[in-house]
């Protein structure tokens, strides 16, 4: 049995942070941010909103689009690097917010590749016959873990959530395959030193701002381009699909320069690439489902299209998935 994506939904918080907002208190400029990243604005969650709130809203929309009803969901997987708290998991909290009692739920930590990892887990469960309708959520509130005084990271990240329901294929639409990779040896290129068991939140840790994400962007950039291209080609070769057959590339939205270099390496024109980084910045595990949700809403992705998802992120992790929509 093959699996398919039966419905997609997304939710972004209302508050918009423009590049001018960062200009107002940091040594940065709209010009630098636009040219180096492609980002013009991003969203910020309200103080009363948590990751599970964003995730539950996206999930409701995905369930509605899938037409399976809440009762049809039999597993919840939430990909996030910013859960409400270490436990209970964001997936359990989303389940509670959706009123899903007794439905198994767990979080998955694979950085910005989390949604692709989540779809891979979901499709494997569906293909095995173990679960029928798996809700995969990617939800993040990154504005709470980036240092508002670090111009090299705070301008990049935004908040949001996206979700999909993975179900048995009806024969037309199907998940054709995926490839996942990780290399923890590169962990310190993008990491959050404190807030886990490694470091207690002492005054010294807070003073050194180790409770905020640290990133070596330049090094990451090169690995991201190389590995996203490699994993895409690896997957297409394995499935015997030519690059030119791909109708839509839906990449993780980290930097417009990463996306356009990747498209060039894959020989795909930008007209076949879904890009919304200008509006939302990098929303980590939420970026692919938000981009997918928007492209579907705009009627760009149509049934029968070949859609290639590819992501890269903290871990380091990277992966790709090919879907016949
Ligand atoms: O989600 C997956 C993980 N994340 C990524 O994949 C991110 C990958 N990396 C990137 O997107 C890019 O490396 C960045 C956007 C983070 C940085 O762009 P860059 O072209 O690699 O710049 P850089 O780090 O080499 O910095 C160039 C200069 C530096 O100044 P000096 O040392 O040349 O004087 C930075 O201090 O730009 C400076 N800079 C800024 N200037 C104005 C860094 N951030 C800013 C800023 N505004 N916001």
């Amino acid at each position: 049995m093959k699996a398919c994506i039966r419905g997609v939904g997304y939710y972004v918080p209302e508050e918009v942070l423009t590049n001018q907002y960062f200009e107002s208190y940091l040594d940065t400029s709209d010009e630098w941010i636009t040219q180096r990243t492609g980002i013009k604005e991003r969203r910020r969650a309200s103080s009363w909103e948590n990751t599970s709130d964003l995730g539950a809203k996206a999930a409701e929309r995905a369930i509605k689009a899938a037409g399976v009803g809440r009762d049809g969901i039999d597993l919840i997987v939430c990909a996030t690097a910013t859960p409400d708290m270490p436990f209970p998991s964001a997936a359990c909290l989303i389940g509670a917010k959706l009123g899903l009692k007794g439905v198994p739920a767990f979080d998955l930590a694979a950085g910005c590749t989390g949604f692709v990892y989540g779809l891979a887990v979901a499709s494997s469960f569906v293909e095995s016959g173990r679960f029928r309708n798996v809700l995969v959520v990617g939800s993040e509130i990154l504005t709470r873990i980036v240092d508002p005084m670090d111009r090299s990271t705070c301008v990049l990240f935004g908040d949001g959530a996206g979700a999909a329901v993975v179900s048995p294929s009806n024969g037309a639409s199907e998940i054709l395959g995926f490839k996942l990779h990780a290399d923890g040896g590169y962990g310190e290129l993008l990491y959050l030193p404190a807030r886990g068991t490694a470091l207690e939140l002492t005054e010294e840790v807070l003073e050194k701002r180790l409770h905020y994400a640290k990133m070596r962007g330049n090094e990451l950039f090169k690995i991201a381009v190389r590995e996203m291209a490699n994993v895409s080609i690896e997957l297409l070769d394995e499935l015997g699909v030519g690059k030119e057959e791909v109708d839509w590339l839906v990449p993780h939205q980290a930097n417009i320069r990463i996306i356009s270099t990747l498209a060039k390496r894959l020989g795909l024109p930008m007209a076949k690439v879904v890009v919304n980084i200008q509006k939302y910045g990098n929303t980590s595990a939420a970026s692919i489902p938000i981009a997918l949700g928007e492209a579907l809403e705009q009627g760009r992705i149509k049934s029968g299209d070949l859609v290639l998802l590819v992501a890269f992120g903290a871990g380091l992790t990277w992966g790709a998935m090919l879907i016949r929509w």
Side-chain angles (χ1 to χ4, degrees):
M1 188 199 328
K2 294 296 271 184
C4 73
I5 294 184
R6 194 155 157 178
V8 176
Y10 69 96
Y11 169 79
V12 289
E14 266 172 41
E15 190 189 3
V16 174
L17 293 186
T18 60
N19 291 345
Q20 286 72 26
Y21 164 77
F22 292 100
E23 275 180 344
S24 74
Y25 76 95
L26 279 176
D27 179 15
T28 189
S29 64
D30 173 43
E31 193 193 354
W32 191 96
I33 301 170
T34 307
Q35 280 179 2
R36 307 306 295 168
T37 74
I39 302 165
K40 294 300 277 183
E41 54 188 49
R42 68 293 286 147
R43 301 298 177 99
R44 178 164 64 185
S46 311
S47 57
W48 64 86
E49 279 181 314
N50 288 320
T51 296
S52 63
D53 297 306
L54 272 50
K57 284 188 177 145
E60 268 179 41
R61 293 174 183 181
I63 292 169
K64 192 163 173 228
V68 294
R70 288 184 190 196
D71 296 345
I73 299 298
D74 46 20
L75 174 68
I76 305 167
V77 179
C78 180
T80 184
T82 51
D84 302 33
M85 53 192 84
F87 52 87
S89 66
C92 282
L93 298 173
I94 289 169
K97 282 170 185 161
L98 295 175
L100 296 177
K101 279 190 189 298
V103 175
F106 64 90
D107 282 1
L108 186 159
C112 305
T113 320
F115 197 75
V116 175
Y117 267 64
L119 290 179
V121 167
S123 64
S124 303
F125 270 135
V126 170
E127 284 172 13
S128 75
R130 182 73 62 182
F131 292 102
R132 230 185 127 65
N133 298 307
V134 182
L135 173 66
V136 183
V137 182
S139 186
E140 305 278 11
I141 299 193
L142 296 159
T143 57
R144 290 193 197 145
I145 59 142
V146 291
D147 187 343
M149 300 315 291
D150 176 5
R151 67 177 184 174
S152 70
T153 52
C154 70
V155 302
L156 304 175
F157 296 97
D159 304 337
V165 177
V166 178
S167 306
S169 166
N170 56 9
S173 169
E174 58 182 54
I175 292 174
L176 299 171
F178 59 80
K179 282 275 164 206
L180 305 177
H181 292 289
D183 186 344
Y186 287 122
E188 288 192 6
L189 291 187
L190 177 52
Y191 76 127
L192 183 48
R195 301 202 206 200
T197 56
L199 282 177
E200 257 185 79
L201 281 181
T202 58
E203 275 194 23
E204 189 192 346
V205 163
L206 295 176
E207 234 166 72
K208 289 185 175 161
R209 305 181 83 76
L210 298 176
H211 55 307
Y212 288 125
K214 310 287 170 209
M215 183 171 85
R216 295 192 343 231
N218 213 282
E219 289 163 73
L220 264 181
F221 189 102
K222 292 172 199 144
I223 305 174
V225 171
R226 187 182 72 218
E227 297 305 345
M228 286 207 286
N230 285 347
V231 74
S232 301
I233 292 164
E234 191 190 351
L235 177 63
L236 293 173
D237 284 352
E238 188 183 283
L239 295 172
V241 173
K243 291 183 271 188
E244 67 291 345
E245 292 178 65
V246 172
D247 294 297
W248 291 103
L249 172 67
V250 185
H252 169 50
Q253 313 280 312
N255 187 314
I256 189 63
R257 293 183 294 133
I258 294 180
I259 296 173
S260 53
T261 313
L262 171 68
K264 216 172 273 167
R265 291 211 184 165
L266 295 177
L268 292 171
M270 285 307 281
K272 287 187 169 188
V273 185
V274 175
V275 177
N276 64 3
I277 190 170
Q278 68 283 2
K279 291 197 288 182
Y280 306 121
N282 181 345
T283 57
S284 189
S287 95
I288 285 186
I290 295 175
L292 257 184
E294 278 200 340
L296 288 163
E297 205 171 63
Q298 293 158 358
R300 298 175 79 197
I301 296 177
K302 297 192 181 65
S303 52
D305 282 354
L306 262 188
V307 180
L308 177 64
L309 313 182
V310 56
F312 178 89
L316 298 181
T317 56
W318 59 102
M321 173 173 271
L322 190 69
I323 302 163
R324 169 74 63 196
W325 207 267

